Structures are given as structure tokens and as C-alpha cells.
Amino acid sequence: MFLIRAVLRRMRIEALLRACLGAAVACGLLAAASGAAAASAPSGEPSPASSVSGQAYEKFLATAERLYEAVNGGQLEAAVQRLGELERQLRSLPMKTIATAEGIRALAGDVAEMKRTVAALSPDEAKWKKGAASLRLAADALAHPDKPIWHRYRTVLQEDINKLAAAVESGTAKQGGPPAPAVRAAFEPLAEHYGLIRTAALLRAEPWKIERIDSALRYASRIYEAQAPKPELVRGTLEPIREALRELFPEGGGASETLVPPLGAVPPSWGWSAMMGTFIVTILTWVGWKRYKLDDAFGGSGDAYRRDDREDAAERLLGRWRKKK
């Protein structure tokens, strides 16, 4: 009886050991397969959806650049043809990647405004060039969202603000009277340069930033056009414009330089391997100890094993009942 129980216990332990080792090996193979799949996946290759969007935006940018060249080269017939191509491509652009609905409306509005300028009885050359430049910057913002050209206008707008500040200081030296013509003259380039990048910025920036600049410029324009504004009101227009433009452009004067490692370059996590190794060592240690106890029982007296393999409470109760009988 003793030998049968010992053999059965050894068989259960060996079965448990095989099951644990099988589970550990299966988990290890699964983790290795997952890591290999992640490593074999191309890290720098865009998804099909992003690739299609990128191709559409690049095509839109190429057409906008040809439109810009035709307008500045005085080739009106070619410009009209390019504008038609641009409108057709606009209708098929993937809009899901555009940040705001306001940006979509602004881009469509620029194309519509360009069409109205073309249809005018006496086309305005300045409007043609302004519209073509705005569309080119907007198309570039879609094709190159990380480093668009309109980010470079930070320096241009900063110079415009500095000239406006100098004109405001010299124009408000005298009390009363309308602002000096130099103030209005310095404000026009600032407003014009901002108008060129507005649609491009609205395609990627948050709408409240654009609205803040719009409000600051509208307020400044009303103050400068007033008959006799107070000098402190004229000087007070500068700081809101500075702050609004500071919020519009990214920190550091350019696009974000944050580095994101590609998926394929990320080393596999060691936490899972360490956990599985600890689990296997623990199982092997426990099974080895149990096997040692069994070997000790087989090799020594039966009394030594029976002292460790004590009967449970039910067996003791059954033994007392048999003795009473």
C-alpha cells in the first residue's frame, strides 16, 4: 500500500512538472513569435491610409506650386487651367487628417476667392498673387505638416511687429489727433503677411489661436483708423498681437524636434522573460524537493516516510472507529 501511494504521488508530481514546463515553453514561444513579428514589421513604412493621403496632398501641392508660378509669370491662361485642376483635386482630398473644420472651410474659401478674382472683368494682379501664395502655403501645410513653410514666417511677422512698435512710439509722442500715417503704413504689411499664412495655420493649429490673432488685429485696425484715439490705447494694441502670434508658432522657432523611436527598434521587454524564468526555477525547485523526499522514503525505513506523510483527520477518525469495533 505504501509503495502504491508513493508511486502514485511521484506520477502526479511528474505530470504536474510536465504541464508546467509545457505551459512555460508555450508562453516563451508565443512571446518570441510576437517579438519577431514586431521586429520584422517595417518601422518606417507608412500605413496604406497615410500613404494614400500623402500622395494626394503631394499632388495637390504640386498643382498649387504650378499655379503660383503661372500667376507670378503672368501666364493667365495657364493659371486658370491650374486653378481648375486644383479645385478638382480639392474635392477628392482626404479630409479626415485635417485638424479642424474651420481649416477645410478656409481652404475652400481661398479657392472660391481665387475663382472670383479670375472671373472679374478687370483682374486684380495683387489679389491673384496673394491668393496663389496663400494656396501654396496651405497645400504645403497639408503635405509637410511637421515642417511647413509657414512656420518660417515667424521672423517676418516679428520684424513687422518691431516696425509697428517703432511707428507707434513715434506717432503717439504728441497728445490727441489721429495716429500718424506711419502707424497705419506699418500695420498693413503685418496684416498682409498674416493673411498669407492664415489658412495654412488653420489647417493644423487650434481654431482659438487663429481667432485670438484675428481679434487682436481687428481691434488694432479700429484703433488706428479712429479720429483721435488715446495714446495709451494705441500703444496697448501691441502686446495682444505679440502674445497671439507667440501662441501660434511652435516653441523654438520651428517644428517639434521630439524623437519617437520606430517600433522595430524598440528592444523586447525583459520583464516577461524574467517572470517566466523565476516561475520555472520555482517549479523545478519545488519538484526537486518533493522528489528528494520520495527518494528518501524509498531508500530508508517506512517509518520515516510515514512520519512526514501523516494521515488526515478523516483517516484518524476512521481508525478510531475500527478500533472500537
Side-chain angles (χ1 to χ4, degrees):
M1 184 66 179
F2 165 74
L3 292 176
I4 293 175
R5 293 177 61 186
V7 171
L8 290 176
R9 178 165 294 189
R10 169 175 284 188
M11 292 175 63
R12 286 196 298 269
I13 292 174
E14 290 178 350
L16 177 62
L17 174 61
R18 286 194 296 270
C20 292
L21 289 178
V25 171
C27 292
L29 291 176
L30 180 60
S34 300
S40 62
S43 58
E45 194 173 314
S47 63
S50 62
S51 177
V52 171
S53 300
Q55 292 176 3
Y57 291 148
E58 288 290 348
K59 185 177 179 180
F60 188 73
L61 173 61
T63 304
E65 288 178 343
R66 289 196 295 269
L67 171 63
Y68 179 80
E69 292 172 358
V71 169
N72 284 275
Q75 304 171 6
L76 298 184
E77 293 183 2
V80 171
Q81 183 180 357
R82 298 294 178 252
L83 181 59
E85 295 177 4
L86 196 71
E87 183 181 12
R88 288 190 294 270
Q89 293 173 8
L90 173 63
R91 296 172 183 172
S92 60
L93 279 181
M95 299 298 179
K96 292 183 178 180
T97 56
I98 298 179
T100 64
E102 291 83 356
I104 298 175
R105 287 197 297 268
L107 181 58
D110 280 0
V111 174
E113 181 63 27
M114 192 74 174
K115 290 178 62 178
R116 285 192 292 269
T117 302
V118 170
L121 294 178
S122 56
D124 189 337
E125 184 179 355
K127 286 186 177 182
W128 273 69
K129 293 183 177 180
K130 180 180 177 181
S134 178
L135 286 172
R136 183 187 181 189
L137 291 173
D140 178 79
L142 291 175
H144 308 127
D146 294 333
K147 291 185 178 181
I149 295 177
W150 72 268
H151 282 181
R152 304 176 189 175
Y153 273 72
R154 175 200 288 265
T155 303
V156 176
L157 293 174
Q158 187 61 50
E159 292 177 356
D160 291 339
I161 294 176
N162 293 338
K163 293 179 181 178
L164 177 61
V168 167
E169 289 300 323
S170 62
T172 56
K174 59 179 181 177
Q175 295 291 330
V183 175
R184 292 189 291 271
F187 178 73
E188 289 178 1
L190 173 62
E192 182 178 351
H193 290 152
Y194 168 70
L196 290 177
I197 69 169
R198 186 181 184 277
T199 299
L202 197 53
L203 288 170
R204 296 299 180 185
E206 299 178 16
W208 67 266
K209 295 181 179 180
I210 306 301
E211 182 58 32
R212 184 179 181 184
I213 301 177
D214 292 347
S215 300
L217 293 179
R218 281 196 301 266
Y219 174 75
S221 178
R222 292 172 183 173
I223 294 297
Y224 301 155
E225 292 174 359
Q227 291 296 324
K230 296 181 179 179
E232 55 269 21
L233 291 179
V234 178
R235 289 190 292 266
T237 60
L238 297 175
E239 192 57 29
I241 298 176
R242 286 197 182 101
E243 292 181 358
L245 290 175
R246 195 179 303 122
E247 288 285 343
L248 178 64
F249 291 94
E251 294 293 335
S256 174
E257 300 293 338
T258 303
L259 297 178
V260 180
L263 294 177
V266 177
S269 174
W270 58 268
W272 175 258
S273 301
M275 182 193 72
M276 292 306 300
T278 303
F279 175 74
I280 294 173
V281 170
T282 303
I283 292 296
L284 292 177
T285 303
W286 177 77
V287 173
W289 178 80
K290 295 297 292 183
R291 179 169 292 180
Y292 166 77
K293 297 298 292 183
L294 285 173
D295 291 342
D296 182 66
F298 279 118
S301 63
D303 294 338
Y305 178 78
R306 280 192 291 271
R307 281 196 299 269
D308 291 332
D309 189 27
R310 295 181 177 86
E311 301 176 12
D312 58 13
E315 291 178 348
R316 288 198 297 271
L317 181 60
L318 181 60
R320 293 196 204 100
W321 180 76
R322 287 174 179 171
K323 286 179 182 179
K324 290 180 182 179
K325 291 183 65 177

